[in-house]
């Protein structure tokens, strides 16, 4: 798991609309006609998924902000990323330039 966290960068796709309402992200994918409402931790991950920040750094930032078990946070983060990848809401890469190319392929 450590290698995944050290290696990968995530980015929320620009083809989806999102707003933060009461500390929860509301994500709409018009292409797939889906709506997702994220909890506070998932919203933090979503906001930090900028295409440049590694997963390990996202987890560290959330860990510093919230009083949570770090191993549980890692597991929750990975599960969230898998779910968002499966729904086509995030893209994953090992390099920022690849994130952009991956995003363009999703459009």
């Amino acid at each position: 798991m450590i290698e995944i966290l050290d290696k990968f960068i995530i980015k929320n796709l620009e083809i989806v609309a999102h707003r933060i309402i009461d500390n929860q992200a509301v994500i709409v994918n018009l292409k797939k006609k889906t709506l997702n409402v994220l909890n506070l931790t998932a919203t933090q991950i979503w906001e930090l998924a900028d295409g440049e920040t590694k997963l390990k750094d996202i987890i560290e930032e959330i860990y510093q902000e919230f009083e949570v078990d770090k191993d549980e946070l890692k597991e929750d983060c990975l599960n969230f990323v898998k779910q968002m990848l499966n729904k086509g809401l995030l893209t994953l890469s090992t390099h920022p330039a690849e994130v952009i190319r991956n995003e363009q392929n999703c459009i």
Side-chain angles (χ1 to χ4, degrees):
M1 175 171 31
I2 298 301
E3 182 179 311
I4 291 169
L5 299 177
D6 286 341
K7 190 174 184 180
F8 286 102
I9 297 165
I10 56 174
K11 182 173 186 330
N12 55 41
L13 296 180
E14 294 176 6
I15 61 170
V16 297
H18 73 277
R19 295 284 179 266
I20 308 300
I21 302 170
D22 293 330
N23 294 321
Q24 293 183 315
V26 178
I27 304 168
V28 179
N29 185 332
L30 297 175
K31 186 176 181 180
K32 293 186 177 186
K33 298 180 179 157
T34 60
L35 173 79
N36 295 273
V37 179
L38 307 182
N39 66 24
L40 181 61
T41 305
T43 296
Q44 288 289 104
I45 297 167
W46 179 263
E47 289 183 301
L48 294 168
D50 59 6
E52 296 180 12
T53 307
K54 292 183 180 178
L55 279 171
K56 70 174 184 130
D57 297 327
I58 290 172
I59 291 168
E60 188 60 36
E61 187 165 332
I62 294 170
Y63 178 72
Q64 296 300 321
E65 187 170 338
F66 300 102
E67 293 181 22
V68 295
D69 178 73
K70 197 165 192 176
D71 289 332
E72 188 175 325
L73 176 61
K74 288 176 187 177
E75 186 175 330
D76 289 348
C77 180
L78 288 173
N79 287 332
F80 169 75
V81 169
K82 286 177 192 174
Q83 288 175 10
M84 295 295 103
L85 288 168
N86 289 335
K87 292 180 179 188
L89 300 174
L90 287 175
T91 187
L92 180 74
S93 181
T94 56
H95 189 273
E98 290 176 16
V99 171
I100 295 167
R101 280 196 303 275
N102 290 343
E103 182 175 0
Q104 290 170 345
N105 291 334
C106 292
I107 298 175

